[in-house]
Amino acid sequence: MSFPAACCNTPPVKANYASTGTKSKIGNLDCYFAGPSDSKRAIMINYDIFGYHANVLQLSDILGSLGYRVVLPDLLRGDPLEEADLGKPGVFAEFTKTRGSWESNKGDYIAIRDYLKSNGAESIGLIGFCWGGHIVVSALTELDGYAGGAIVHPALIADGDLNKVNAPLLALPSKDEPDFTQDFAGLEGKPFFNKCKMVRFDDMFHGFCGARGDWSNEVQAKRANDAIALIVNFMSSIM
């Protein structure tokens, strides 16, 4: 279980986007909110290792415009990894053992789930990018109360992780991720398998939908839109 080499060495691009959501807190956790506050359908997004970025804010706003109540928590508490950390394996190893671990984030997932439910959400979907894909898979394995989750160019997925989830899963790996075919096939015995889907983006790199994606590039923007369309269709099918 590790980060793809591309994750440890490729810097994020600088994108320009004027976000339209609002910021507030859930407990002591800063969060970005998009979409109607009274929606019965909610989505929590787990950003990648670079934290808040124009691309993930834009995705939040897109989903919010479709009627979902979107919450993007600042799980790294304003201290994401930075370009200067790239190429330093020790930094990534420490991250996965400390603030990037499932154990460090489980409490926030529970608090956000309970907050959304107490504020009228009847179904909650999850989306995770890079490291967030690992956290989403862990949440779908250990916690209940989620309609399903989408993982986009996921990192830190060990053999056998995917077939442990207890809710529908959409997997969108890039060319830099391992072949998850065998692991994904293990979901076939689950009662929700007909809602699961995996689509590889073998023409794209790790991070194209996250902080590394240059959405001013026509090809990258098109493929990001393709991924977002798959996410939207998936969320519609489970909520």
Side-chain angles (χ1 to χ4, degrees), residues 87-164:
K88 299 178 181 179
V91 171
F92 284 79
E94 182 198 14
F95 176 83
T96 60
K97 293 177 182 178
T98 55
R99 58 200 174 100
S101 70
W102 167 236
E103 290 73 21
S104 295
N105 290 276
K106 183 176 180 178
D108 287 335
Y109 264 69
I110 293 172
I112 294 167
R113 179 200 62 189
D114 293 350
Y115 169 87
L116 289 170
K117 286 187 173 294
S118 67
N119 282 272
E122 296 178 353
S123 55
I124 303 171
L126 300 174
I127 303 173
F129 297 87
C130 177
W131 147 78
H134 161 65
I135 303 299
V136 164
V137 167
S138 299
L140 295 179
T141 300
E142 292 193 16
L143 303 178
D144 57 15
Y146 301 112
I151 56 175
V152 188
H153 37 71
L156 303 169
I157 304 296
D159 288 342
D161 280 352
L162 299 187
N163 59 39
K164 295 176 183 176

Side-chain angles (χ1 to χ4, degrees), residues 175 201-205 208-209 212-228:
K175 66 181 179 64
F201 283 72
D202 285 321
D203 58 336
M204 285 287 108
F205 53 89
F208 77 97
C209 267
R212 295 183 175 93
D214 179 3
W215 291 359
S216 68
N217 176 285
E218 183 178 353
V219 175
Q220 291 185 39
K222 179 185 182 304
R223 296 302 276 150
N225 284 328
D226 291 341
I228 292 170

